Amino acid sequence: MARESRSEVLRGAIDLLVLKTLALEPMHGWGIGQRIEQISGGELLVRQGSLYPALQRLEHAGLIESEWGPSESNRRARYYSLTRAGRRALEKETESWRRFAAAIEVVLETT
Amino acid sequence: MSLMKGLKARLTSIFRPRAAESRMEEELRFHLEMEIDKNIRAGMPPGEARRRAMISFGGLDGHREAMRDGRGARLVGDLGRDMRVALRGLARNPGFAAVAVLTVGIGVGATTAVFSAVDAVLLRPLPFAEPGRLVELDEIVIPYHTEGREYPKSRPYITDARALTDTFTDVAAYAPGGMNLGGLGTPRRIRVGVVTANFLSALGVRPLLGRDFTADEEVPGAPPVALVSYGLWGTAMGADPDAVGRAITLNGHTHEVVGVMPRGFAFPDEAEVWLPMSIPITSATFDAFRQYIPSRLVARLAPGVTIEQARSRARALLAPYEQPDRPVEATPAELVRPLHRSLVGNGGTELLVLLGVTALVLLVASTNVANLLLSRAVARRHEIALRSMLGASSFRLIRQLLAESSLLALLGGAAGVAVAVMGAQLLNTLVPSALSGAAPIRVDIRVLGFALAVAVTTGLAFGLWPALAARRTSAAGALKGGGAGPGGDTETSRLRRLCVVGEVALALMLLIGSSLMLRSLHRLLSTESGLQPEGVATLELTLARADYPTTAARRQFYEGVLDRLRRNPQVVAAAAINELPLRGQWGVAFLVYPEGARPERDHLQYAQDLRVTPEYFRTMGIRILQGRPPGPRPAGTEVGEVAINEALADAYWPGQSPIGARLQWQNDMLYEIVGVVSNVRPGSLDDEVIPQAYYSLLDTPYDNAALVARGRIPAEDLTGVLQEAVRAVAPGQAVYNVRTMEEVIAGTIAPRHTRTALITTFGLVALCLAAVGVYGVIAFGVARRTREIGIRLALGANPRRVIGGVVAEGLLLALAGTVPGLAGAWMLSRYLESLVYGVSTTDPVAFTAAPVALLAIATLAALVPAWRASRINAVEAMRVE
């Protein structure tokens, strides 16, 4: 089924989304993309080209870690999970994102 | 903790790229399969599911690129790729590569070789413990106790300096000398360091085997001991692990070896043996020396003491000894000098000038290579333009070009290091003699690091600019092909001409420098030495006290050898002298004046003290102006004979003959003047003329002497005759410095010779490079205008005029470089002040000859393409486009 409205996800936001998704439970890359798409009701579609680099970025920064595990279909998949630093970063980033979004609201209201 | 995990992940991706790659592959493949599964579950047929999945996936390569970009490993991989491409490019043009690598190699090699000398002499700290705390002391002497006679104390003794324990922790003395090593096969002359017992501990050096000297070995009459060098231990004692306790024979005396020094220690003067110096010095101490002991004092500053404090202490120590007629002329700064600087003396400036010269050569070489690269980049501008249009970022293009130039630079650097290693040995003559033994010239890590830095900087410098210039070439214009033609557009052409002008200017400066050096050398060699060295052979020897204890014994030796030489039909004349002229340094001069008429202090003359046998002047070709040579003192009189040189005669007896007058020596002995001889330069050709007095050697037969002979056979063969004569009279006698008189003189000018040879070589190299540069630019200019010239010739233009035009172009370029070259040489030549002799640094001959030579070569360089231009076939030319 074709979806009409798809928007690109802002690059900085993708990190936050990944962290949030992994806060619920460890997941593999494809699963993360699917989850984000589902929870946002189709509004946020993460391209594979942005997802995997983001995962690598977060892993290099020490915010998530990964290891091999069996998938639902019993294939080998790479599962990602939050590290302690990742959890802290998630809180901080969520806070600043909320502030940012509120500020934009204000500007849009007063014009 | 998390950071560590992150770091580990990052490092893995860089250093184990294949593992990271395969992991990525697997992840992406899993993702694709999940996407396909999803499509299938949504109802698509498998083929469609796969197709849709692939489309939404967007191609694996893009992902790979994006991931790799994120990895940062991309940079390393790209560099490797760029290098490989660069290597292939160079392999395709081996001629260009060879020329470029050679040129860079010359520049880097010359600079590195000279730097290795600069590093050894100036930069590397002395190989002693905490060398910054070591100083040399002046105006402090070692007391003298010769049989019976005591000398009045006019300067503080070393013992007084040692008493300043709060200023110096150690005060030691050393003196480089030589002795005959006997008892081991052929007798050999070796270098000996006579040192106080605390010398090694003052320097912080400990023996490898055995022990250092003890304080009671510094007392006169102590049992004779010795320390041997690592090298001597190997060659003369077979690296015997039980060498300690064995005996060696020096000048006929046995010394017990008490220790072996570590490998590489050879201070002072590349010593092979060290003997303790007794305090006070006695006549036995002179065993290792000629007329005087060249002692130097070295001290270690006590902790926390500054050199300024030491200076004021030394000045205070000196104060009580100041006499009105012998004031202390040394400033406090000269009294206590940092050891390294003191040993280097003036040698440092000369080396730095040489380094500056090599930097110029490097500049010329780099400009040449830059020009080469630029012409190559221009030739490839089609390719570059195409790549840029196809999406290669300009950063990548520049990086590719830089990779090429870096590769050239590294290859050239490697070639340069080879040059430097070979050349470093030749530079040994440039090390100041006081430093020898403590500053060996080596191509070590530091020098290699310097070579690398120079190569890389050069590579970036001559690579960056053509790379930027090539980038600016407009893509459209390049692809059109017309317009500029194969010579490049006007802007790059102008740039290249500018480069060549610069090269010519630099080459001219180097040529002028070389001319100045060559003229100096010529001046020096044609200086009147005062004697005729051609055909004269010499050798030096030291008679050991043990074998020749009396005056009579020594006299007998000299008479015996000279007699034997006289009877040889191949020998025309033979003689002995206490000290050879023109061997570098000279010995002592004593106060002399006409009998009973001691002049005022300002008119006192000190005459070089020379002792000769009567045949000496005839052997050496020294002119006897009046009278005859001095002979032994006639029986029954106390007055000996002396021949004086012109300088002394003119000083005391101007305008009259001094023959018959008497000379008073050292307020003491009297000599009758029997002859006047012409002046002989004492130590080297650039020494001033000094008063000289020749006394009879047989009256006072010294134990150090040189034998000289002039013969009917070549001087090299005559040296063998000399050696044979000594062997016949005294089979165990060691001789040394067996050489012709011409070699003796050449030895003194060796450093100057080396420097001149170096600078002249550099000048010629720069000239060649500049000529190649001129050729290159002119040739490309001709290529650019091939069509135009072809048409002109076809229309009947005189080929000679074409040649003339092209040559004129080249000449103009060279002239444009000559002007700044002359100006630069004018301003910089003053730095050569210390290196030239007998010519001014703005010598007109040098300043005219060099430009003329340069212009001539430039004309020749332009002639080749000019001649080719005149042979352009018009029809062919039109087909080029």
Side-chain angles (χ1 to χ4, degrees):
Chain A
M1 301 188 210
R3 286 176 175 86
E4 299 300 299
S5 62
R6 293 175 190 189
S7 29
E8 268 289 5
V9 182
L10 295 170
R11 196 181 194 241
I14 196 181
D15 290 9
L16 188 55
L17 293 172
V18 169
L19 287 176
K20 179 63 185 179
T21 311
L22 289 178
L24 306 171
E25 57 172 328
M27 227 171 284
H28 50 63
W30 189 79
I32 295 174
Q34 293 298 302
R35 167 77 121 233
I36 293 175
E37 197 182 320
Q38 288 159 10
I39 290 187
S40 68
E43 279 302 315
L44 301 175
L45 190 122
V46 183
R47 278 185 40 182
Q48 297 82 342
S50 326
L51 175 62
Y52 285 96
L55 286 172
Q56 189 174 80
R57 206 166 44 241
L58 291 169
E59 189 168 9
H60 283 178
L63 301 178
I64 63 178
E65 53 185 346
S66 68
E67 56 181 7
W68 292 109
S71 76
E72 301 87 351
S73 43
N74 247 328
R75 292 196 199 91
R76 206 161 84 119
R78 193 88 185 170
Y79 279 83
Y80 293 88
S81 54
L82 276 190
T83 63
R84 204 165 24 190
R87 248 170 246 288
R88 282 201 297 270
L90 178 58
E91 285 169 22
K92 213 160 51 96
E93 286 305 301
T94 311
E95 183 54 45
S96 58
W97 174 268
R98 295 219 164 101
R99 271 210 305 271
F100 172 65
I104 293 191
E105 269 304 308
V106 171
V107 172
L108 290 178
E109 291 283 303
T110 50
T111 314
Chain B
M1 197 55 212
S2 318
L3 270 171
M4 290 301 292
K5 291 184 193 156
L7 194 61
K8 183 159 164 266
R10 195 189 287 272
L11 288 175
T12 314
S13 82
I14 292 182
F15 288 107
R16 302 184 51 219
R18 266 200 286 277
E21 290 262 349
S22 75
R23 171 186 139 177
M24 189 172 62
E25 285 285 336
E26 203 171 336
E27 257 191 281
L28 291 178
R29 207 174 354 177
F30 172 79
H31 189 115
L32 184 64
E33 283 169 7
M34 295 296 276
E35 191 72 22
I36 295 174
D37 283 352
K38 187 178 94 165
N39 287 345
I40 291 181
R41 268 180 281 134
M44 296 183 215
E48 180 70 15
R50 187 174 200 84
R51 198 178 64 84
R52 284 291 192 89
M54 293 286 274
I55 291 173
S56 78
F57 210 62
L60 283 157
D61 273 315
H63 287 268
R64 288 206 193 94
E65 283 302 314
M67 299 275 284
R68 281 201 206 107
D69 262 335
R71 278 220 311 265
R74 176 176 172 152
L75 199 64
V76 174
D78 278 349
L79 250 140
R81 203 165 349 127
D82 283 337
M83 279 297 177
R84 273 195 302 267
V85 172
L87 197 60
R88 278 205 300 269
L90 287 181
R92 271 200 301 265
N93 295 7
F96 157 80
V99 169
V101 167
L102 206 66
T103 314
V104 175
I106 291 174
V108 171
T111 319
T112 308
V114 174
F115 178 78
S116 67
V118 169
D119 186 49
V121 171
L122 294 174
L123 297 177
R124 216 189 299 150
L126 294 172
F128 311 135
E130 282 188 88
R133 305 290 293 165
L134 290 170
V135 293
E136 181 165 356
L137 303 177
D138 225 351
E139 297 286 355
I140 295 180
V141 299
I142 304 178
Y144 213 74
H145 181 79
T146 37
E147 299 89 33
R149 252 204 281 221
E150 286 274 351
Y151 285 91
K153 186 174 180 181
S154 60
R155 283 286 178 271
Y157 289 157
I158 185 175
T159 33
D160 301 322
R162 280 177 169 174
L164 302 176
T165 47
D166 53 347
T167 315
F168 304 116
T169 57
D170 281 291
V171 182
Y174 67 92
M179 292 174 100
N180 303 332
L181 180 69
L184 297 148
T186 16
R188 187 158 85 80
R189 187 78 174 167
I190 55 169
R191 285 176 300 274
V192 173
V194 179
V195 302
T196 55
N198 66 340
F199 175 71
L200 293 173
S201 54
L203 295 181
V205 181
R206 301 234 307 270
L208 186 68
L209 295 177
R211 62 167 178 83
D212 199 351
F213 295 135
T214 58
D216 38 272
E217 278 154 358
E218 212 176 64
V219 170
V225 293
L227 288 167
V228 298
S229 72
Y230 189 88
L232 191 69
W233 176 60
T235 54
M237 303 179 86
D240 180 0
D242 292 316
V244 175
R246 279 176 59 174
I248 57 172
T249 314
L250 297 166
N251 279 8
H253 293 290
T254 331
H255 294 255
E256 181 198 343
V257 175
V258 296
V260 177
M261 295 307 291
R263 179 196 278 263
F265 183 75
F267 186 70
D269 199 34
E270 308 200 38
E272 298 167 85
V273 164
W274 289 265
L275 299 180
M277 180 189 290
S278 68
I279 296 180
I281 304 173
T282 65
S283 55
T285 318
F286 281 82
D287 220 13
F289 304 103
R290 307 175 63 82
Q291 286 144 322
Y292 70 102
I293 300 179
S295 59
R296 295 171 85 132
L297 262 77
V298 67
R300 183 177 285 280
L301 294 173
V305 173
T306 66
I307 197 166
E308 288 308 318
Q309 293 168 325
R311 281 171 178 155
S312 36
R313 293 288 263 144
R315 193 70 186 78
L317 193 66
L318 211 46
Y321 299 95
E322 272 193 273
Q323 297 287 332
D325 70 338
R326 237 194 124 183
V328 172
E329 281 162 359
T331 65
E334 288 164 349
L335 287 180
V336 181
R337 298 186 297 265
L339 186 63
H340 196 163
R341 215 175 316 151
S342 186
L343 295 177
V344 168
N346 286 328
T349 333
E350 297 171 351
L351 278 175
L352 287 175
V353 169
L354 209 56
L355 195 62
V357 170
T358 53
L360 284 181
V361 175
L362 186 63
L363 210 56
V364 174
S366 309
T367 316
N368 231 349
V369 180
N371 236 345
L372 275 173
L373 283 176
L374 187 60
S375 49
R376 195 150 169 274
V378 163
R380 290 166 60 194
R381 74 201 190 293
H382 288 256
E383 172 204 335
I384 293 174
L386 210 65
R387 284 171 70 188
S388 120
M389 296 217 325
L390 286 179
S393 74
S394 53
F395 177 66
R396 279 205 72 176
L397 286 171
I398 291 182
R399 217 175 56 198
Q400 176 65 44
L401 290 171
L402 273 181
E404 274 186 23
S405 60
S406 305
L407 188 63
L408 277 175
L410 285 173
L411 287 174
V417 167
V419 169
V421 167
M422 292 190 292
Q425 288 320 304
L426 297 170
L427 296 173
N428 261 315
T429 46
L430 297 176
V431 175
S433 57
L435 259 188
S436 77
I441 297 186
R442 298 193 290 255
V443 177
D444 59 5
I445 286 290
R446 295 155 62 110
V447 174
L448 285 176
F450 174 83
L452 187 65
V454 168
V456 167
T457 319
T458 320
L460 285 176
F462 69 63
L464 197 63
W465 159 66
L468 289 172
R471 180 172 75 94
R472 259 183 285 130
T473 314
S474 98
L479 284 178
K480 252 202 300 203
D489 61 60
T490 13
E491 193 188 323
T492 34
S493 170
R494 197 144 16 113
L495 222 51
R496 297 183 61 210
R497 277 159 197 272
L498 202 65
C499 261
V500 171
V501 166
E503 276 188 58
V504 168
L506 288 172
L508 184 60
M509 297 199 313
L510 282 170
L511 273 179
I512 291 180
S514 317
S515 315
L516 287 173
M517 298 289 290
L518 282 169
R519 274 173 68 69
S520 297
L521 195 61
H522 178 76
R523 267 302 156 79
L524 194 64
L525 289 174
S526 29
T527 305
E528 183 65 56
S529 60
L531 46 81
Q532 286 166 355
E534 305 83 27
V536 176
T538 76
L539 57 75
E540 301 178 54
L541 48 79
T542 305
L543 299 177
R545 278 299 161 80
D547 302 328
Y548 297 90
T550 63
T551 313
R554 293 195 288 276
R555 184 180 302 132
Q556 202 172 36
F557 170 81
Y558 291 120
E559 283 174 340
V561 174
L562 290 174
D563 189 53
R564 195 177 167 85
L565 284 168
R566 254 191 300 267
R567 283 198 260 126
N568 187 320
Q570 294 170 319
V571 172
V572 166
I577 181 172
N578 65 330
E579 147 186 318
L580 265 185
L582 295 167
R583 65 190 290 281
Q585 336 92 306
W586 52 276
V588 286
F590 290 115
L591 176 62
V592 293
Y593 49 82
E595 178 186 14
R598 186 189 164 122
E600 290 299 311
R601 185 157 76 99
D602 296 330
H603 298 287
L604 285 177
Q605 298 290 326
Y606 290 80
Q608 187 185 8
D609 196 83
L610 298 162
R611 312 265 158 167
V612 299
T613 59
E615 291 276 277
Y616 175 72
F617 302 110
R618 193 159 84 94
T619 312
M620 295 292 257
I622 300 173
R623 285 184 311 148
I624 303 178
L625 301 169
Q626 301 177 41
R628 58 172 176 82
R633 185 172 48 215
T637 161
E638 287 291 310
V639 179
E641 298 186 351
V642 68
I644 62 176
N645 72 343
E646 278 181 276
L648 189 57
D650 289 337
Y652 284 143
W653 294 274
Q656 26 166 284
S657 166
I659 305 282
R662 281 149 72 146
L663 197 68
Q664 187 137 16
W665 182 83
Q666 281 279 94
N667 304 318
D668 191 3
M669 324 248 304
L670 283 175
Y671 292 87
E672 179 178 337
I673 299 174
V674 300
V676 178
V677 296
S678 60
N679 301 320
V680 174
R681 305 267 169 186
S684 83
L685 288 172
D686 47 3
D687 275 347
E688 298 267 315
V689 163
I690 54 170
Q692 293 166 316
Y694 298 85
Y695 309 87
S696 164
L697 179 66
L698 296 172
D699 273 347
T700 50
Y702 286 5
D703 35 12
N704 292 300
L707 294 176
V708 294
R710 182 186 289 278
R712 300 194 171 84
I713 55 176
E716 294 80 26
D717 303 325
L718 205 52
T719 57
V721 171
L722 278 177
Q723 283 179 288
E724 186 276 332
V726 172
R727 246 200 316 271
V729 170
Q733 177 62 44
V735 299
Y736 56 97
N737 285 345
V738 182
R739 41 194 180 158
T740 68
M741 194 60 208
E742 287 176 301
E743 283 168 351
V744 172
I745 299 180
T748 61
I749 56 175
R752 187 183 292 277
H753 216 161
T754 311
R755 270 184 248 119
T756 308
L758 276 173
I759 296 187
T760 311
T761 311
F762 294 154
L764 289 174
V765 164
L767 181 62
C768 286
L769 291 174
V772 168
V774 168
Y775 166 82
V777 160
I778 299 295
F780 268 98
V782 164
R784 197 161 64 116
R785 303 196 314 263
T786 306
R787 190 165 56 166
E788 168 199 333
I789 297 176
I791 291 177
R792 280 173 55 201
L793 283 172
L795 291 178
N798 189 343
R800 286 223 198 97
R801 291 191 67 181
V802 172
I803 291 180
V806 176
V807 169
E809 222 184 298
L811 211 55
L812 221 64
L813 259 185
L815 273 170
T818 308
V819 174
L822 281 172
W826 192 274
M827 289 189 296
L828 293 177
S829 64
R830 90 176 84 109
Y831 292 111
L832 283 180
E833 192 81 61
S834 55
L835 298 182
V836 300
Y837 168 83
V839 295
S840 97
T841 49
T842 50
D843 179 52
V845 174
F847 272 76
T848 12
V852 165
L854 187 75
L855 289 172
I857 301 284
T859 313
L860 276 173
L863 209 58
V864 177
W867 187 79
R868 272 208 241 124
S870 70
R871 315 269 264 115
I872 289 179
N873 183 319
V875 181
E876 299 261 338
M878 305 231 237
R879 270 200 239 128
V880 164
E881 292 305 310

